[in-house]
């Protein structure tokens, strides 16, 4: 007999479109299976301060189409300390919560793993991050929507680039991973992507300029991942201005635009499937795993693996971009 009677759910770290769809699916799946659900507001911070409310099915009505997270999110330095995690655990015991579902990215799962190690509580992680950088899953919740947002923004910028014969460097999110920049460049027909996985050597830049911006192209667009490795769009643009003064260079930083908006159909379906899978994982006595998707099948990935291993970029995509942008 499964001893889990009450599930706590929280969102943490950067918000991602589809988090609400996941909250809805977890809540309804738990109720369907005869469990109580408690929503924890403001992530690990709310777990410590006790911002906790029991959820009924109506709490998650009409939220599947909303971006952001109804449970709010916050950074929490206190949870990074053993004392803070002890306070959080005491709160779980007080609230009668037997298992925890955490929705977020690398930092969220790192906190979850520590928490699970110190206190014997089953935790299931959901990969909610627009960066798509968690190992063990083909897709993360929010990635598809962010990609579509980038594509729409680049399409608009291209109108200006073409009208003025300009070279635009467009900065997208992805501090440690180039998935948004790479696939965003392919989807929007950009000339190149500068990503942290391939540090930009001098000859790479000159190669890109000389091959990508030949006389046959008056305007060009390059997507740059915001990263110390790439130097960001400002850093790259500065170098191009110095080394190739003949180009009319402009920079556009998309910033938080990429996080917002109504989730795409793909993100709503993914979040719903994954949310239901969290409760099924608990019913199967799984613990300390992240729900992933591989080849369109739900999989359980040990949280330690999801955060320790780097997710490799598909080299075929680089090849695809190189060929399609000549």
């Amino acid at each position: 007999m499964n001893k889990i009677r009450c599930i706590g759910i929280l969102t943490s770290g950067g918000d991602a479109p589809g988090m609400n769809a996941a909250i809805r699916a977890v809540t309804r799946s738990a109720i369907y299976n005869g469990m109580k659900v408690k929503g924890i507001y403001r992530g690990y911070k709310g777990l410590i301060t006790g911002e906790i409310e029991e959820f009924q099915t109506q709490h998650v009505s009409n939220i599947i189409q909303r971006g952001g997270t109804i449970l709010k999110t916050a950074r929490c330095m206190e949870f990074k300390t053993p004392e803070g995690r002890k306070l959080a655990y005491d709160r779980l015991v007080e609230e009668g919560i037997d298992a925890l579902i955490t929705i977020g990215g690398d930092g969220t799962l790192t906190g979850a793993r520590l928490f699970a190690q110190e206190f014997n509580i089953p935790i299931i992680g959901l990969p909610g991050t627009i960066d798509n950088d968690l190992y063990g899953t083909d897709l993360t919740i929010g990635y598809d929507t962010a990609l579509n947002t980038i594509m729409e923004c680049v399409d608009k910028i291209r109108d200006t680039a073409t009208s003025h014969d300009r070279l635009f460097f467009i900065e997208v999110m992805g501090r440690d991973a180039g998935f948004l920049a790479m696939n965003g460049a392919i989807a929007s027909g950009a000339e190149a992507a500068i990503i942290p996985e391939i540090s930009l050597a001098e000859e790479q830049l000159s190669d890109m300029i000389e091959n990508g911006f030949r006389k046959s192209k008056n305007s060009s667009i390059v997507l740059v991942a915001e990263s110390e490795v790439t130097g960001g769009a400002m850093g790259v643009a500065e170098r191009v201005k110095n080394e190739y003064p003949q180009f009319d260079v402009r920079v556009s930083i998309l910033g938080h635009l990429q996080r917002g908006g109504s989730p795409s159909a793909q993100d709503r379906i993914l979040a719903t499937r994954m949310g239901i899978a969290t409760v099924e994982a608990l019913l199967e006595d799984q613990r300390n795993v992240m729900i992933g998707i591989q080849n369109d099948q739900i999989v359980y990935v040990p949280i330690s693996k999801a955060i320790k291993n780097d997710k490799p970029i598909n080299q075929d995509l680089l090849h695809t971009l190189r060929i399609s942008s000549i």
Side-chain angles (χ1 to χ4, degrees):
M1 179 73 182
N2 193 287
K3 57 195 176 301
I4 294 169
R5 295 173 302 279
C6 180
I7 291 174
I9 178 171
L10 61 81
T11 51
S12 173
D15 61 308
M19 280 183 164
N20 283 328
I23 293 164
R24 173 181 177 269
V26 170
T27 300
R28 293 194 166 167
S29 180
I31 291 168
Y32 177 85
N33 284 288
M35 299 173 189
K36 277 187 181 177
V37 191
K38 293 196 175 180
I40 300 158
Y41 291 92
R42 293 179 179 81
Y44 293 123
K45 187 179 177 185
L47 184 51
I48 291 170
T49 57
E51 285 190 76
I52 298 168
E53 179 185 5
E54 186 169 340
F55 270 24
Q56 307 297 340
T57 188
Q58 61 268 28
H59 281 85
V60 294
S61 293
N62 203 23
I63 66 167
I64 196 169
Q65 78 281 15
R66 287 167 59 183
T69 161
I70 61 160
L71 284 175
K72 313 282 189 188
T73 179
R75 310 279 175 195
C76 182
M77 297 313 289
E78 202 177 350
F79 192 76
K80 292 185 175 180
T81 68
E83 298 77 21
R85 291 191 293 275
K86 174 72 170 75
L87 287 172
Y89 178 70
D90 291 344
R91 188 71 69 177
L92 284 181
V93 172
E94 191 183 303
E95 290 281 344
I97 294 170
D98 308 309
L100 191 60
I101 310 286
T102 63
I103 309 171
D106 193 70
T108 304
L109 291 178
T110 302
R113 188 176 72 97
L114 258 177
F115 197 36
Q117 272 177 350
E118 290 171 353
F119 305 97
N120 190 23
I121 178 158
I123 298 184
I124 308 289
L126 276 181
T129 166
I130 65 168
D131 292 343
N132 198 35
D133 60 348
L134 286 166
Y135 179 85
T137 184
D138 295 343
L139 295 167
T140 58
I141 296 164
Y143 171 64
D144 184 65
T145 307
L147 205 49
N148 280 297
T149 301
I150 289 167
M151 182 181 72
E152 286 163 21
C153 290
V154 176
D155 286 352
K156 288 180 168 72
I157 290 168
R158 189 179 284 285
D159 294 345
T160 294
T162 308
S163 300
H164 292 271
D165 291 349
R166 282 178 181 157
L167 162 52
F168 262 91
F169 289 102
I170 301 174
E171 185 172 294
V172 300
M173 285 182 170
R175 200 171 52 239
D176 305 306
F179 296 99
L180 284 173
M182 174 58 62
N183 284 309
I186 293 170
S188 59
E191 275 60 49
I194 297 172
I195 58 175
E197 287 87 343
I198 299 159
S199 57
L200 190 69
E202 295 297 327
E203 62 276 8
Q204 236 185 323
L205 184 62
S206 55
D207 184 54
M208 195 176 72
I209 296 284
E210 277 140 35
N211 293 332
F213 316 124
R214 301 181 324 274
K215 293 187 179 79
S216 62
K217 283 188 180 177
N218 297 323
S219 69
S220 288
I221 285 178
V222 175
L223 266 58
V224 185
E226 51 159 29
S227 163
E228 285 176 21
V229 179
T230 63
M234 298 295 275
V236 176
E238 206 54 49
R239 281 172 53 190
V240 173
K241 276 181 196 167
N242 292 337
E243 293 170 41
Y244 304 92
Q246 70 271 33
F247 288 110
D248 185 6
V249 175
R250 292 289 187 278
V251 169
S252 190
I253 296 171
L254 299 187
H256 286 84
L257 266 177
Q258 297 160 83
R259 282 202 187 283
S262 184
S264 65
Q266 178 159 313
D267 271 329
R268 294 181 197 194
I269 294 163
L270 181 70
T272 302
R273 288 179 69 189
M274 286 183 162
I276 288 169
T278 60
V279 177
E280 288 173 352
L282 289 171
L283 290 170
E284 290 172 19
D285 283 331
Q286 293 282 343
R287 54 200 298 144
N288 313 334
V289 294
M290 178 191 83
I291 303 295
I293 195 151
Q294 293 174 13
N295 301 320
D296 205 33
Q297 299 296 312
I298 291 287
V299 293
Y300 301 149
V301 185
I303 288 178
S304 52
K305 254 192 178 172
I307 53 182
K308 274 183 188 162
N309 296 351
D310 285 333
K311 182 173 178 177
I313 201 118
N314 184 342
Q315 294 296 320
D316 290 346
L317 291 174
L318 288 165
H319 188 56
T320 301
L321 179 59
R322 205 168 287 130
I323 291 169
S324 62
S325 63
I326 63 162

